Amino acid sequence: MRVEGKDYRTVWMEGSAVMTINQPMLPHRFEVVRLPTHRDTAEAIRNMVVRGAGAIGAAAGYGMAQVFIEATAEEPEHSNYVAAGYETLKNTRPTARDLFYAIDRVRSASDAVAEAEAIADEYVEAGRRIGEIGAELITDGMTVLTHCNAGWLAFVDWGSALAPIYFAHRAGRKVSVIADETRPRCQGSRLTAWELKQEGVPVKIIADNAAGLLMRRGEIDLVITGADRIAANGDVANKIGTYEKALCAKASGVPFYVAAPLSTFDLDCPDGGGIPIEQRGDEEVLYAAGMTDNGEFARVRLAPEGVEAINFAFDITLAKLIDGIITERGIIKPTADEIARIIA
Ligand code: MRU
C-alpha cells in the first residue's frame, strides 16, 4: 500500500514490537501505532485498531511471537506464560478464522518470530494470487460492489475482495467500485473508499440499504466480498449485511463472489451454523463518530436515550447464494467436495 509516496504493510514487526496502521483514525489521519507487548497487540485487535481477517491473523501471529520473546525474558521454563498469552490473544475476537490459524501455527513452531513472519508473507502472496486470479472476472467498464473493507488494510498487502480490482485497474481495465458504507463501523465509507482513492480507482459510497435498488437498475455488474470464516460446506461468515447483498444479487442475477485465502476455511465447522458470530457493544449502533468540518473528532448520539441496540458484527451467507470463492489456488464452487479437494 502506497501512502503519500511511501510503501507500507498493514502490520509488521520492529524488534519485539508489533507495528500497525491505526485504522479507527482513517480516513482523517494516517498514523502508525507501536504495540510493545502481546497485551497491547491483543488490545489493538479487540478495539479494532487492527481489523480485517488477514490483518487480524498477521497481528495475532506476531502477538504470539511477542509472547515467546517476553516469556524467554520473564521465566526460563516459560510454559505458563505462553499458555496465558495464547489465551489472551485467543479471546480477543471470535469470528475470524485466521486469528486461530495464526496463533496455533506460531505456538507450535520452533522459531516463533520466523513463523509469524512467514504467515505475514504468505498473506501477501495469497492476496497477490487472489488478485491475479480474480481479475479475470473483471472486464473493461465493469462496476463492482463490495461490502466492508477487504483490501490492503484488512490483510498485510493487496487484500482479498479488493485485490482483483487492483489487478484489473493496474492492467488498464476501466473498473469502478460501489462501496457499501457498512454500518455501524463504516469500514466501507472510511477504509475501502480511502484505499481505493489512494490507488486511483473510482469509487462511490452508498448507504447500506441502496444496493438492492442499484442491482435492479443494472448498475452493478459483479459483487466481491471478503470472508472471516468459511465452513466446510461453503457457507461464509463475513461482515453483517453481506447476506442481504447476496440475496439481492441472486434476485437480480448479479454474480456474487467471495475472495479468501485457504487459511480462512474451517473444516471443523460443517456449516455456517457452527461459526461463532461476534456481538459487539450497543454504542457502535447508537452513536456515530467522525471529524467535524473544523477538524475535530466528535461522537454524536443517533438514537433516543434509554433505547438498546442489537449489534451482531457478522452474518452467514449461504453457500447456495455464492457463485464462486476466489482463492490463491483458483476459483472454486462453494461445495463440500470442492472445498475438501482444494484444502487437501
Ligand atoms: O469487523 P472487521 O472490520 O474485522 O470485519 C472485517 C470483514 O468482515 C471483512 O470483510 C473480512 O475480514 C474479510 S477481508 C479479510
Side-chain angles (χ1 to χ4, degrees):
M1 174 175 40
R2 187 147 267 253
V3 184
E4 286 160 18
K6 193 171 166 207
D7 283 324
Y8 286 89
R9 282 191 174 194
T10 309
V11 51
W12 68 98
M13 220 171 172
E14 274 181 25
S16 60
V18 174
M19 311 291 289
T20 193
I21 294 160
N22 192 351
Q23 298 198 36
M25 285 295 148
L26 290 171
H28 310 295
R29 192 180 294 159
F30 181 81
E31 190 178 281
V32 170
V33 281
R34 188 169 185 277
L35 308 166
T37 72
H38 82 275
R39 288 189 190 84
D40 300 306
T41 303
E43 200 48 34
I45 296 171
R46 188 177 295 108
N47 291 341
M48 297 175 67
V49 166
V50 55
R51 47 125 318 267
I56 290 173
Y62 284 132
M64 197 62 220
Q66 287 177 304
V67 171
F68 280 94
I69 294 168
E70 293 158 17
T72 312
E74 287 202 4
E75 55 167 357
E77 84 286 6
H78 76 187
S79 61
N80 293 340
Y81 193 91
V82 168
Y86 176 85
E87 286 302 313
T88 301
L89 288 160
K90 188 175 143 202
N91 291 319
T92 48
R93 296 191 70 190
T95 304
R97 162 76 181 147
D98 289 81
L99 186 148
F100 308 97
Y101 165 83
I103 58 175
D104 285 343
R105 257 184 74 173
V106 174
R107 189 185 192 178
S108 51
S110 53
D111 180 339
V113 175
E115 192 70 10
E117 291 290 4
I119 291 169
D121 288 346
E122 287 166 25
Y123 281 135
V124 176
E125 181 56 15
R128 199 183 61 74
R129 286 293 297 147
I130 287 169
E132 279 173 355
I133 293 165
E136 300 294 315
L137 297 169
I138 300 172
T139 53
D140 202 43
M142 268 193 173
T143 300
V144 183
L145 178 122
T146 191
H147 191 68
C148 193
N149 171 261
W152 304 103
L153 292 164
F155 252 76
V156 181
D157 230 341
W158 292 114
S160 52
L162 296 191
I165 294 164
Y166 290 135
F167 271 77
H169 175 75
R170 288 190 182 189
R173 269 164 260 164
K174 256 204 231 130
V175 51
S176 61
V177 174
I178 301 277
D180 293 330
E181 64 175 345
T182 320
R183 282 279 297 151
R185 292 189 66 108
C186 296
Q187 290 94 330
S189 53
R190 292 195 302 105
L191 306 177
T192 298
W194 180 80
E195 270 198 46
L196 291 165
K197 197 161 172 268
Q198 296 290 323
E199 185 75 15
V201 178
V203 56
K204 285 187 180 152
I205 298 160
I206 57 169
D208 280 330
N209 39 18
L213 176 70
L214 292 186
M215 287 188 205
R216 294 305 303 167
R217 290 166 61 103
E219 291 178 26
I220 291 164
D221 302 300
L222 175 68
V223 181
I224 311 180
T225 74
D228 287 86
R229 198 184 291 222
I230 303 177
N233 74 338
D235 287 350
V236 167
N238 194 51
K239 180 53 58 190
I240 190 83
T242 304
Y243 177 43
E244 289 178 4
K245 306 308 164 232
L247 286 168
C248 289
K250 180 61 88 188
S252 305
V254 176
F256 184 98
Y257 283 82
V258 168
L262 298 185
S263 54
T264 304
F265 289 78
D266 183 358
L267 299 191
D268 292 335
C269 282
D271 58 40
I275 300 178
I277 304 287
E278 177 180 15
Q279 226 178 329
R280 298 184 62 86
D282 283 23
E283 70 288 348
E284 289 184 353
V285 175
L286 300 175
Y287 291 83
M291 189 176 258
T292 66
D293 288 345
N294 297 332
E296 285 160 13
F297 284 100
R299 193 175 93 129
V300 292
R301 191 175 173 97
L302 300 173
E305 291 284 351
V307 174
E308 294 177 3
I310 299 170
N311 188 15
F312 286 102
F314 301 96
D315 61 21
I316 305 294
T317 299
L318 302 174
K320 66 181 181 191
L321 300 173
I322 300 167
D323 289 289
I325 304 178
I326 309 162
T327 76
E328 66 271 41
R329 294 218 193 119
I331 301 178
I332 62 162
K333 287 283 167 203
T335 64
D337 287 350
E338 274 280 271
I339 290 170
R341 180 187 64 76
I342 202 146
I343 301 275

